[in-house]
Amino acid sequence: GAVVSQHPSWVICKSGTSVKIECRSLDFQATTMFWYRQFPKQSLMLMATSNEGSKATYEQGVEKDKFLINHASLTLSTLTVTSAHPEDSSFYICSARTGAHTGELFFGEGSRLTVL
Amino acid sequence: QKEVEQDPGPLSVPEGAIVSLNCTYSNSAFQYFMWYRQYSRKGPELLMYTYSSGNKEDGRFTAQVDKSSKYISLFIRDSQPSDSATYLCAMSGNTGGFKTIFGAGTRLFVKA
């Protein structure tokens, strides 16, 4: 299957700082990438849809100024958690689709953020 | 009612057992059906991908889709302790911009 790489896999930061997480499709071009948040023992919560060259589409209740998403190229999307607080501590996962209308989604390894 | 219903379990089986995991859904526009396996603190891994109705087999895994009943299944034969993980069903179609909808995930424990 297609490979999606996510970096860093874990990060610890102080409250008030910003953290950037990268998501790369290694062997295919992804016009659309997705960012999820996952709490322990819960399913994936879609945060936003990232479209190459345009603004991300955020799900209801997700603060776009807190979670900045940039999709500058067909193989890279970034999520920046701005002014992080302890309640932002979570597991963040990205995914990418190989085609606009195909069903298959391929996920990154996830990034665990801990805000002290 | 959620678009996709999946029993969160946990489901505990002995090694070697046949495992049956299921999801039901309400949106008849779903065409693409997927099963993912997620180990603790890892991203989901795509196990099976099926378009429309029918069966698909890959090694010890068999995926079934019954669109008339809006019911999908994943069977794991000869289950192993390494199969212990959370299994997520997912589906999408020509609705909502092909947004993928996930089930809650079923936690599976295979005991040696």
Side-chain angles (χ1 to χ4, degrees):
Chain A
V3 179
V4 176
S5 177
Q6 194 171 335
H7 177 81
S9 56
W10 60 272
V11 58
I12 301 173
C13 69
K14 292 182 179 179
S15 186
T17 61
S18 294
V19 173
K20 180 185 284 188
I21 301 170
E22 292 188 348
C23 180
R24 294 181 184 273
S25 56
L26 298 186
D27 52 359
F28 67 100
Q29 293 183 329
T31 54
T32 305
M33 290 184 172
F34 305 88
W35 287 95
Y36 302 83
R37 187 172 179 176
Q38 188 175 37
F39 293 102
K41 298 183 182 181
Q42 293 190 25
S43 191
L44 304 165
M45 184 189 81
L46 180 63
M47 298 175 64
T49 302
S50 169
N51 298 296
E52 187 266 338
S54 63
K55 291 183 179 180
T57 303
Y58 290 82
E59 295 298 303
Q60 191 173 10
V62 178
E63 299 177 60
K64 58 181 68 177
D65 295 329
K66 156 74 76 177
F67 300 101
L68 299 179
I69 291 172
N70 183 274
H71 195 153
S73 76
L74 288 171
T75 58
L76 174 64
S77 177
T78 60
L79 167 68
T80 301
V81 183
T82 62
S83 187
H85 288 96
E87 58 266 29
D88 298 324
S89 299
S90 192
F91 193 54
Y92 294 89
I93 314 175
C94 71
S95 72
R97 223 158 35 193
T98 55
H101 293 156
T102 61
E104 291 171 292
L105 276 181
F106 295 93
F107 284 85
E109 304 95 329
S111 299
R112 180 159 301 281
L113 170 63
T114 300
V115 185
L116 302 176
Chain B
Q1 181 189 8
K2 292 181 181 178
E3 278 193 284
V4 178
E5 298 276 2
Q6 182 177 11
D7 186 339
L11 177 63
S12 183
V13 302
E15 183 176 359
I18 297 174
V19 176
S20 173
L21 304 167
N22 312 291
C23 288
T24 59
Y25 62 95
S26 57
N27 192 335
S28 57
F30 288 144
Q31 303 166 280
Y32 303 98
F33 303 91
M34 291 145 283
W35 285 96
Y36 289 88
R37 176 175 63 194
Q38 186 178 23
Y39 293 112
S40 181
R41 304 190 180 207
K42 298 288 185 182
E45 172 193 6
L46 180 64
L47 282 179
M48 301 291 282
Y49 169 68
T50 309
Y51 172 70
S52 194
S53 283
N55 295 355
K56 186 173 185 178
E57 187 174 320
D58 184 0
R60 295 184 296 113
F61 299 93
T62 299
Q64 289 185 351
V65 175
D66 182 349
K67 291 191 71 178
S68 62
S69 302
K70 298 188 179 67
Y71 187 87
I72 69 170
S73 301
L74 177 71
F75 297 97
I76 307 174
R77 290 183 297 279
D78 187 25
S79 56
Q80 304 294 311
S82 58
D83 295 327
S84 298
T86 296
Y87 290 80
L88 296 150
C89 65
M91 47 199 79
S92 65
N94 191 10
T95 176
F98 281 86
K99 185 181 290 186
T100 302
I101 308 299
F102 289 87
T106 300
R107 296 185 71 198
L108 172 67
F109 296 96
V110 181
K111 299 172 291 184

